[in-house]
Amino acid sequence: MRIGDLAAASGLTTKTIRFYEQAGLLPAPPRTPGGYRDYPEQAVARLGFIRDAQGAGLSLAEIRSVLTLRDGGQAPCTHVTVLIEEHLADIERRLAELTATRKALIGLARRAAAADPATCTTEEICSILTPASAPHGAH
């Protein structure tokens, strides 16, 4: 099938398909006598897999590693499991960081609401962001 037909069947643009081909995610198809790409039917499923894997948070390099295993005749399940566990751990770390940042911002928002600009000194840049326990000039 030609690239336009593959784009329509996969819901991707021809530019994206060419990019995936250049990135090594989609094997270069044979060419017709007229020089057009002639993709096999299974390219639709492969592009669907790439889209789904990206939706799960896998990078193109990680997707390429899964496809390389599959193309080599190996089931990539163990590798995919490890990738998923790594992504989950990363998300848990980021959620913990975001939770801590949110807590700090809530405290700062309370300080900001109670702050009186008339009481700011020239020794401070901003009393809202200066820790309450820090002595002036110890920054």
Side-chain angles (χ1 to χ4, degrees), residues 11 37 61 66 85 87-88 95 116:
R37 290 172 169 87
V66 172
E85 289 170 354
H87 279 268
L88 279 172
L95 282 172
D116 180 2

Side-chain angles (χ1 to χ4, degrees), residues 20-93:
Y20 287 162
E21 193 178 315
Q22 291 173 343
L25 298 170
L26 189 63
R31 300 275 182 157
T32 65
Y36 293 103
R37 290 172 169 87
D38 187 20
Y39 292 93
E41 286 294 322
Q42 58 266 35
V44 175
R46 190 173 182 109
L47 290 171
F49 170 79
I50 294 167
R51 185 184 55 244
D52 293 344
Q54 282 184 302
L58 272 63
S59 69
L60 293 181
E62 290 168 332
I63 296 167
R64 187 181 311 104
S65 70
V66 172
L67 292 170
T68 298
L69 286 171
R70 174 49 73 197
D71 292 345
Q74 296 179 357
C77 301
T78 302
H79 181 61
V80 169
T81 300
V82 169
L83 291 174
I84 289 170
E85 289 170 354
E86 288 172 354
H87 279 268
L88 279 172
D90 183 51
I91 286 171
E92 291 298 330
R93 279 189 298 275

